[in-house]
Amino acid sequence: MLQATHMPELLAPAGGPPQFNAAIAAGANAIYCGFGNTFNARRGAQSFTSKTFGEACDRAHVAGVRVYVTVNVAIRADEMPSVLALVRRAWLLGADAFIIQDWGLLHEVRKRWPNIECHVSTQANVHDTRGVAWCRERGAQRVTLSRELSLQEIEQIAKEGVDLECFGHGAICICYSGICMMSSTGGNRSANRGACAQPCRLPYELVDKDGVVLSAPDRGRPLCPRDFYAFDDLAAFARAGVASLKVEGRLKGADYITSVISTYRAQLDDLARGVEPPVEALEERRTRLKRAFNRDFTNAYLKGTSGDELMSYERSNNRGELVGAVVGGRSFGSVKVRRGGAGGGRERLRTAKVAEVDIALDKPVGKGDLLEVRPVGNPSQFLTTHAEHDAKAGEVIRCKTTRVLQQGSLVRVIRSQSALDAGARASSGKVLRRRPVNVRVLARMGQPFEVELATVDGCASAVARGFVVEQARTRAVSKEDLIEHVGRMGTSEFEPVSFEVQMDEGCGMGFSAVHEVRAQACELLRNALLEPYKTRELAAAPSRETVLRDLSEQREQRGASPSPSPSLAGDTPLLCAIATSAEAAHAAVRAGAQRVYAPSDALGMGTWPQGVVPVLDEVCREADHVRLDAWVRAQAPVAVGNVSELALAATRGALPEVRGCVPVHNESCLTALEEAGAAGVWLSPELSFDEIKVLAQWASVPLGVVVLGRTRAMTTEHCVLQVANRCVHDCGACKLRKQSTFLRDDKGNLFPVRTDEHGRSRVYAAQPLDITPQVGMLAEAGVSRLAVDGTLMTTQELEDAVRYAARALEAWRNGKRPAQRRRGHTAGHLFEPIE
């Protein structure tokens, strides 16, 4: 193992105080957590109150651990003052930085409190050098990259000089983070608001247009990836220049945090020292990771792949570690067992089935370990049992069950009792993380006895002075005596690693007095470490009126003004269409479309109408620049799907329109994007009408809304069609890719799936959107562009859909009511806001 010159920070998750304590004890360099349960992407976590958060920050800072608060959701307009108040409160309590998704929140925090450190969340969908540079220009000190990037890409981006935070362990979202609407299209729970229902973990069948199942056997979960695993890639992470190695898991328990963080800590420490750990130690560390919650592991993204090796098709729950198989068993039938009786309750006799299974072990188990026994032929009929004693590999153990399982049934440890015990100890806060200190002792005749403690990292130091040193009356004190007694810091938060003793010959003193000075020095050092946090000051959080007033002043300074609504200006909103072929584009124009958009990949084929606006992808990695950047042209409109493309458009003097995959939920975000060069904004389908109205009244650039078509729910680097097990590893030659395919859930809902020529898949909502009956409301609110999304429509379907929308606009213009919503369509979240 080569010694690394740069070591990434080990960043641990904490859903609440117990996990926070466990992370400190396990060796994390930094911890990320929510503050309150409203404005973070894990609203289901325990989180923190002001009291528990302040106490946690003190414990962390004394131990030399930084604390990052997640504010990684889209912020509604009326929530901005509350979020800013939360940020201010958390900062004053000790937060070191904030992890932010919403560009409006980043804009507000950097403008009001430039001394607050801000990190851009992976939810912001940043995945290339240009996007990272754009974040830095807006005041971000760190960017959390998308999980999908390879080590080669990460190394290239690191050369930009911005701190990079990269996921190294834990759950993977199959969709690029921040642009997933799979949860919200099937209900009101949005991943962009911290309420994801995790539909990606559910079973689906891949079917064709006739309903014929295309999924291969035992591949029932086509959207369920394995867990991220960078344990064997830590040296590469260090060489790539990664600033922070992030472990996912704010919904996990203290046992998980203890196991995972302590394992990565040990491996990183060995790497820093250039030490090759023994084979036995490596195996023990890997075992510890496998016996923490996992869906099996993958490092596919890091290696630049995203095929079957990424996926956990068979199951979405904890796999644990495979430790053996059933070799026999016996049933004792039904017996009477006693239940109840504890705490004064009435004891009852109940009938229960009792059996035993014999398990041949390939790997050791511990007493109390929870074992999963899963039949090979019918894996859904698994059961669990406990190991009754410690056992080594090669032994056969007997476990109680409710029925006999077939020989060959696989046995896994899915919960380690030793990990639970270690997690319980660490979560109590009683396991001290002792900070290394250098100790200087001064004992001069006639002068106060002095102990100085200085943290090894140079962060703080403190000097305590006590009794006056006198001539010894009996035995003189030696240097060794002082080192022993000053060094007794076992109950403190510090650990001496070096001593410097300056003393005169013949000094005498009582050791109890020495202990008092040492204790005083420890207390003074603790106070010195916390003093920078306790003396913080910050301007008050603004009211909503103040936020809007300040934004108005910014707008006036750049010479912008609100766009009048089409109805007030005497205009009708532009009717737009998204077409995927030149033929469809011409059909849309014939039907009444005044502005046509098309995916950039399609524009090289056929003869298109004049003025077609290129639509760039929602994903823009370094390799995508070659095909996407050419469509960004000076003074020409272009629809951009991320901040990298927006940055390029601003540089080239183009007229970028921000797509709805960039969530704009508040006036501050709208202002930030306008200042960054946005010449138009298409609003997210997750917005309600009331939210649209607020933004439309504020915008100084045209706002657009898709009124008819299928909502893109997911974009995945993994080709979803691979669940059919027919991949030819040549997307251009793939016949399956050219078919109409769907994911069918257990309720019969069909989610269209399309994979592009680059192997990237998009999953669309099961129900198409139709809010054409509300075109008048939208126009009067100030929306100036209405679009029919023909991405999944045939040429004829798009032509019909555009005519349908045009008739709705005509009816509104003539004071009539538009036609009713199409059968089988939905109004989305127009009247049902997301959570």
Side-chain angles (χ1 to χ4, degrees):
M1 179 183 290
L2 296 177
Q3 185 171 6
T5 56
H6 162 86
M7 292 306 301
E9 161 192 273
L10 179 56
L11 178 56
Q19 296 89 338
F20 196 101
N21 291 337
I24 293 177
N29 300 115
I31 300 171
Y32 67 102
C33 59
F35 179 44
N37 289 99
T38 307
F39 302 118
N40 70 85
R42 295 292 183 271
R43 281 160 56 183
Q46 177 185 355
S47 199
F48 294 80
T49 63
S50 290
K51 182 177 185 296
T52 58
F53 181 73
E55 293 170 347
C57 286
D58 285 354
R59 287 194 299 276
H61 294 146
V62 171
V65 177
R66 283 164 59 83
V67 180
Y68 309 145
V69 173
T70 53
V71 203
N72 51 344
V73 293
I75 307 299
R76 290 186 176 127
D78 60 353
E79 294 173 337
M80 188 60 73
S82 298
V83 180
L84 291 172
L86 178 147
V87 168
R88 180 179 183 273
R89 180 63 176 154
W91 175 258
L92 293 176
L93 287 169
D96 290 285
F98 295 85
I99 302 174
I100 295 173
Q101 172 188 6
D102 192 290
W103 300 119
L105 179 59
L106 178 65
H107 177 84
E108 291 290 343
V109 173
R110 295 301 301 157
K111 176 180 66 177
R112 297 180 184 284
W113 305 308
N115 55 321
I116 289 184
E117 184 176 328
C118 294
H119 301 173
V120 171
S121 169
T122 190
Q123 286 285 113
N125 193 34
V126 178
H127 23 56
D128 69 345
T129 302
R130 201 163 55 207
V132 167
W134 189 89
C135 294
R136 178 186 56 206
E137 291 166 4
R138 271 129 201 94
Q141 287 94 336
R142 177 183 289 183
V143 176
T144 311
L145 295 177
S146 296
R147 292 174 176 88
E148 288 81 358
L149 302 191
S150 68
L151 281 164
Q152 184 177 1
E153 289 173 288
I154 293 168
E155 185 172 6
Q156 177 64 33
I157 296 170
K159 294 176 182 177
E160 186 63 28
V162 180
D163 271 8
L164 300 182
E165 185 173 295
C166 298
F167 282 91
H169 195 90
I172 298 174
C173 295
I174 191 63
C175 179
Y176 277 88
S177 293
I179 59 172
C180 183
M181 289 182 279
M182 189 73 172
S183 181
S184 66
T185 58
N188 290 343
R189 294 176 60 181
S190 168
N192 283 321
R193 295 280 296 168
C196 181
Q198 296 195 335
C200 53
R201 303 296 181 187
L202 299 178
Y204 300 88
E205 292 176 316
L206 183 71
V207 299
D208 65 14
K209 59 183 177 58
D210 298 317
V212 176
V213 176
L214 303 173
S215 298
D218 300 322
R219 293 192 171 202
R221 298 177 190 270
L223 300 177
C224 182
R226 298 178 183 181
D227 286 0
F228 216 113
Y229 181 81
F231 180 78
D232 295 319
D233 297 291
L234 296 182
F237 262 73
R239 288 193 300 270
V242 172
S244 182
L245 177 75
K246 189 170 194 172
V247 173
E248 182 277 338
R250 282 198 289 132
L251 294 178
K252 301 292 200 310
D255 58 312
Y256 178 90
I257 305 302
T258 300
S259 294
V260 174
I261 297 302
S262 64
T263 302
Y264 275 85
R265 177 77 279 150
Q267 194 73 359
L268 285 167
D269 287 348
D270 282 346
L271 179 63
R273 294 191 298 264
V275 173
E276 186 72 43
V279 173
E280 297 80 8
L282 274 177
E283 184 61 28
E284 188 276 331
R285 291 171 189 174
R286 291 193 177 99
T287 294
R288 206 184 310 163
L289 293 176
K290 291 175 184 176
R291 296 190 182 188
F293 184 100
N294 73 87
R295 301 176 182 89
D296 205 353
F297 294 123
T298 181
N299 65 350
Y301 283 148
L302 296 178
K303 302 303 181 186
T305 68
S306 58
D308 288 342
E309 68 278 5
L310 178 73
M311 303 305 293
S312 177
Y313 290 128
E314 304 90 349
R315 56 191 293 185
S316 61
N317 58 352
N318 182 17
R319 288 177 182 243
E321 182 183 33
L322 186 64
V323 295
V326 172
V327 293
R330 61 210 54 81
S331 175
F332 300 107
S334 297
V335 298
K336 298 288 186 179
V337 296
R338 297 185 182 277
R339 291 285 189 269
R346 183 178 177 184
E347 187 176 73
R348 298 180 180 180
L349 288 174
R350 295 183 61 187
T351 300
K353 293 181 179 179
V354 178
E356 291 178 341
V357 293
D358 296 331
I359 300 169
L361 295 174
D362 300 320
K363 296 190 176 180
V365 298
K367 181 180 179 180
D369 286 353
L370 181 63
L371 308 179
E372 177 198 83
V373 187
R374 188 175 287 258
V376 176
N378 191 4
S380 64
Q381 298 303 306
F382 69 93
L383 52 76
T384 58
T385 184
H386 288 86
E388 296 186 1
H389 56 81
D390 294 346
K392 299 177 181 178
E395 294 185 24
V396 176
I397 61 173
R398 183 164 291 172
C399 297
K400 295 176 181 178
T401 60
T402 56
R403 67 179 188 277
V404 177
L405 286 95
Q406 68 188 80
Q407 291 194 25
S409 295
L410 300 179
V411 180
R412 298 173 179 271
V413 172
I414 59 172
R415 192 176 68 203
S416 163
Q417 186 60 47
S418 63
L420 285 172
D421 294 341
R425 289 192 299 271
S427 67
S428 69
K430 296 177 182 178
V431 178
L432 285 177
R433 165 91 167 267
R434 302 179 68 197
R435 191 165 186 170
V437 293
N438 296 317
V439 183
R440 185 180 66 84
V441 181
L442 185 63
R444 298 295 188 192
M445 293 291 190
Q447 297 180 17
F449 180 75
E450 185 175 297
V451 174
E452 180 182 11
L453 303 180
T455 59
V456 171
D457 57 15
C459 185
S461 63
V463 178
R465 297 178 179 88
F467 59 90
V468 175
V469 178
E470 299 178 349
Q471 183 73 35
R473 297 174 184 174
T474 54
R475 186 178 79 85
V477 173
S478 68
K479 286 186 177 182
E480 290 72 20
D481 290 333
L482 291 180
I483 290 173
E484 177 188 353
H485 286 274
V486 174
R488 290 180 181 176
M489 300 183 186
T491 59
S492 78
E493 294 146 308
F494 305 106
E495 179 179 15
V497 295
S498 73
F499 287 89
E500 177 190 349
V501 180
Q502 300 175 25
M503 65 180 299
D504 294 334
E505 292 292 331
C507 292
M509 61 192 74
F511 290 130
S512 61
V514 171
H515 298 165
E516 288 179 9
V517 178
R518 178 204 65 211
Q520 182 185 359
C522 289
E523 184 63 23
L524 288 172
L525 181 57
R526 187 180 195 278
N527 293 339
L529 288 166
L530 297 179
E531 192 268 343
Y533 298 96
K534 302 303 181 183
T535 56
R536 282 178 169 178
E537 295 181 355
L538 209 60
S543 65
R544 176 153 171 75
E545 291 72 20
T546 301
V547 169
L548 295 179
R549 184 198 65 209
D550 293 347
L551 291 175
S552 295
E553 291 175 359
Q554 289 177 243
R555 187 163 57 188
E556 290 172 5
Q557 289 172 4
R558 71 173 195 273
S561 59
S563 298
S565 71
S567 59
L568 294 176
D571 298 327
T572 301
L574 282 179
L575 181 57
C576 309
I578 301 172
T580 57
S581 70
E583 180 186 9
H586 284 288
V589 171
R590 286 196 303 271
Q594 300 159 285
R595 192 177 181 89
V596 176
Y597 296 76
S600 57
D601 284 347
L603 288 174
M605 298 173 285
T607 303
W608 291 77
Q610 289 292 319
V612 172
V613 180
V615 177
L616 306 188
D617 292 2
E618 57 275 16
V619 175
C620 185
R621 293 165 66 170
E622 299 292 339
D624 295 312
H625 290 189
V626 175
R627 64 185 179 86
L628 297 177
D629 290 3
W631 296 103
V632 181
R633 299 163 180 166
Q635 296 303 307
V638 58
V640 299
N642 50 70
V643 295
S644 172
E645 294 161 354
L646 176 61
L648 178 64
T651 300
R652 292 187 176 179
L655 303 174
E657 300 176 22
V658 176
R659 292 177 53 199
C661 50
V662 179
V664 179
H665 289 236
N666 57 75
E667 299 97 335
S668 301
C669 185
L670 192 54
T671 299
L673 295 177
E674 289 176 3
E675 290 184 353
V681 173
W682 288 89
L683 297 178
S684 167
E686 291 193 331
L687 292 175
S688 68
F689 174 73
D690 289 340
E691 293 172 293
I692 291 171
K693 186 176 180 179
V694 167
L695 294 173
Q697 290 172 345
W698 182 261
S700 57
V701 298
L703 294 191
V705 171
V706 173
V707 295
L708 193 60
R710 295 266 185 177
T711 298
R712 181 201 57 81
M714 274 188 175
T715 301
T716 71
E717 194 63 28
H718 169 73
C719 174
V720 176
L721 303 181
Q722 291 192 50
V723 73
N725 200 21
R726 300 182 192 176
C727 185
V728 297
H729 304 289
D730 180 354
C731 296
C734 177
K735 296 180 180 178
L736 187 57
R737 190 175 69 82
K738 298 171 184 177
Q739 296 182 35
S740 293
T741 54
F742 306 82
L743 291 179
R744 183 169 63 196
D745 67 12
D746 58 2
K747 298 177 183 177
N749 295 313
L750 296 174
F751 300 82
V753 179
R754 299 294 182 269
T755 296
D756 64 25
E757 59 194 272
H758 316 290
R760 207 167 273 158
S761 288
R762 290 169 179 83
V763 181
Y764 294 85
Q767 270 191 298
L769 181 74
D770 179 10
I771 53 175
T772 56
Q774 284 74 45
V775 293
M777 291 172 54
L778 294 168
E780 290 165 6
V783 175
S784 54
R785 291 173 182 166
L786 304 174
V788 174
D789 187 346
T791 300
L792 300 186
M793 298 180 187
T794 65
T795 296
Q796 187 60 56
E797 287 171 341
L798 177 57
E799 185 172 353
D800 293 344
V802 172
R803 283 203 174 94
Y804 186 81
R807 286 196 295 269
L809 273 171
E810 182 67 20
W812 164 71
R813 192 166 49 239
N814 293 331
K816 297 179 180 179
R817 178 179 296 179
Q820 292 184 344
R821 184 169 296 108
R822 284 180 161 184
R823 186 184 299 274
H825 288 54
T826 175
H829 295 287
L830 198 65
F831 305 113
E832 295 183 19
I834 57 174
E835 295 181 6

